[in-house]
Amino acid sequence: MYRLYLAGPDVFLPEPLAAGKAKKALCALYGFEGVYPLDAVLDLDGLAGPQAAQRIALANEAAMRSCHAAIANMTPFRGPGMDGGTAYEMGFMRALGRPVFGYTTHPDLFADRTRQFCAGPVRQRQDGYFEDVDGLLIEDFGLADNLMMAIAANESGIPIAVGDGPLRDTGPFEDCLRMAQRVLSGKPFTNA
Amino acid sequence: MYRLYLAGPDVFLPEPLAAGKAKKALCALYGFEGVYPLDAVLDLDGLAGPQAAQRIALANEAAMRSCHAAIANMTPFRGPGMDGGTAYEMGFMRALGRPVFGYTTHPDLFADRTRQFCAGPVRQRQDGYFEDVDGLLIEDFGLADNLMMAIAANESGIPIAVGDGPLRDTGPFEDCLRMAQRVLSGKPFTNA
């Protein structure tokens, strides 16, 4: 059975284990095994913050290596862009050559969200692009997030699934599961 | 000569080519070849946004594969966390097994920056952690950013270099170059 790594800021939700359980149940419905970052049972007792973090991060990396593909929740998180840890995991899986399916529950494009986020007036340059009050470019390629993550998701074979709801909305997540069925069914099964 | 991929939001600075040139000159000073995302000369004429983005993203991925290690500018960018594209690139290089040295020009820890960023009152839970007004956890492991990127950098052999200046400050970048000398000098040279 194909294993899907479930990347996303869902681990920060008020009920992170329930959120993972719901996603794993949906994976099973589509014939996949969902692998959630909080699945690993780690003994963090008595560890200082950085040591606990190391154990978690290395466990997540091992979980990713054990998966055939990933589904990334690219919904904006505390700022105009997606959660950084999820972006990291998209790059990790992509470097391993494994498909990364992406979804977001926010319908606006990255450039529009960034313009709204920036404090102070944004300014349009002669080349048509916008910059913020510090002169920093506002990336604008008509994509849902920074081009590295957006293109990684698109290169999975099917564009980012876009919804319009809260972070925990599983509608576009299910779109990704259908994508995963189409893309992975064309591949012979091998152990990750 | 070891090639270092120069990841960071420096590409969004008002003079992105000059910023890259300065970093590449510092790399040369320490015996490295710096590879900057904007080095690739790409013909983007007449391409729609997503197609231009695809060409850039794939060129960046090829550039990363050609490098022995990376130095990532983890300075917070439009929000409490680092630039998402840079986080992606850290994950990418880490999955390839290449050292990722990290620096930030902001001295505060991720948890403190996130607490300051969150609109509305944050609340301390019984387990000691803080959550924002939506009940979303504020990650707190005493690190400079989300644990995936912070640990990836620490696993390079030497902890994240921390400065106190603007995004373009090259002081902690030079600290990373010294780290890279120490870490890479112990390895036999091979083509990336």
Side-chain angles (χ1 to χ4, degrees):
Chain A
M1 191 181 278
Y2 283 111
R3 288 162 60 84
L4 300 179
Y5 185 78
L6 305 177
D10 309 65
V11 294
F12 303 120
L13 282 167
E15 303 281 350
L17 291 172
K21 208 173 161 184
K23 279 188 150 182
K24 285 159 69 89
L26 284 169
C27 287
L29 212 60
Y30 285 84
F32 295 114
E33 183 182 355
V35 176
Y36 192 59
L38 302 180
D39 285 351
V41 179
L42 303 172
D43 182 9
L44 306 176
D45 261 15
L47 292 182
Q51 282 68 43
Q54 183 195 36
R55 206 162 281 190
I56 296 166
L58 297 183
N60 288 350
E61 291 190 351
M64 284 193 278
R65 287 188 193 278
S66 81
C67 286
H68 299 85
I71 297 182
N73 183 350
M74 300 174 70
T75 304
F77 188 72
R78 293 185 179 136
M82 60 180 288
D83 169 52
T86 306
Y88 177 95
E89 296 181 331
M90 291 183 78
F92 194 96
M93 288 298 274
R94 174 100 175 126
L96 297 180
R98 318 228 173 126
V100 180
F101 307 101
Y103 75 92
T104 170
T105 68
H106 197 300
D108 290 352
L109 293 177
F110 187 45
D112 295 328
R113 296 199 313 268
T114 307
R115 273 193 291 269
Q116 281 169 27
F117 173 83
C118 287
V122 300
R123 193 181 75 85
Q124 191 165 19
R125 296 180 182 172
Q126 289 204 328
D127 62 10
Y129 289 109
F130 286 84
E131 61 183 29
D132 69 15
V133 74
D134 298 316
L136 294 166
L137 181 71
I138 294 175
E139 182 186 318
D140 186 359
F141 290 101
L143 296 168
D145 209 297
N146 176 288
L147 61 86
M148 296 307 294
M149 292 79 88
I151 297 302
N154 288 347
E155 292 288 307
S156 71
I158 309 181
I160 295 168
V162 181
D164 186 1
L167 179 64
R168 64 183 326 139
D169 185 19
T170 51
F173 174 72
E174 280 200 70
D175 292 337
C176 284
L177 287 168
R178 283 184 283 269
M179 293 179 194
Q181 279 186 326
R182 259 188 287 168
V183 171
L184 294 175
S185 69
K187 300 192 175 192
F189 180 84
T190 51
N191 284 317
Chain B
M1 191 182 277
Y2 283 111
R3 288 162 61 82
L4 300 179
Y5 186 79
L6 305 177
D10 310 65
V11 295
F12 303 119
L13 283 167
E15 303 282 350
L17 292 172
K21 207 172 161 184
K23 279 187 150 183
K24 284 159 70 91
L26 284 169
C27 287
L29 212 61
Y30 285 84
F32 295 115
E33 182 183 357
V35 176
Y36 192 59
L38 302 181
D39 284 350
V41 179
L42 303 172
D43 182 8
L44 305 177
D45 261 15
L47 292 181
Q51 281 69 44
Q54 184 195 35
R55 207 162 281 189
I56 296 165
L58 298 183
N60 287 350
E61 291 189 353
M64 283 192 279
R65 287 188 194 278
S66 81
C67 287
H68 300 84
I71 298 182
N73 183 349
M74 301 175 70
T75 304
F77 188 71
R78 292 184 179 138
M82 59 180 289
D83 169 52
T86 306
Y88 177 95
E89 295 180 334
M90 292 182 77
F92 195 96
M93 288 298 275
R94 173 97 176 130
L96 297 180
R98 316 228 174 125
V100 179
F101 306 100
Y103 75 91
T104 171
T105 67
H106 196 301
D108 290 353
L109 293 177
F110 186 45
D112 295 327
R113 296 199 313 268
T114 307
R115 273 194 290 269
Q116 280 169 28
F117 172 83
C118 286
V122 300
R123 193 181 75 87
Q124 191 165 20
R125 296 179 181 174
Q126 290 205 330
D127 61 12
Y129 289 108
F130 285 85
E131 61 183 29
D132 69 15
V133 74
D134 298 316
L136 293 165
L137 182 70
I138 294 173
E139 183 186 318
D140 186 359
F141 290 101
L143 295 168
D145 209 298
N146 175 288
L147 62 86
M148 296 307 295
M149 292 80 88
I151 297 302
N154 287 348
E155 291 288 309
S156 71
I158 310 182
I160 295 167
V162 180
D164 186 1
L167 180 63
R168 63 183 329 137
D169 185 19
T170 52
F173 174 72
E174 281 201 69
D175 292 337
C176 284
L177 287 167
R178 283 184 281 269
M179 291 180 197
Q181 279 187 326
R182 257 188 289 170
V183 171
L184 294 175
S185 69
K187 300 192 174 195
F189 180 83
T190 51
N191 284 317

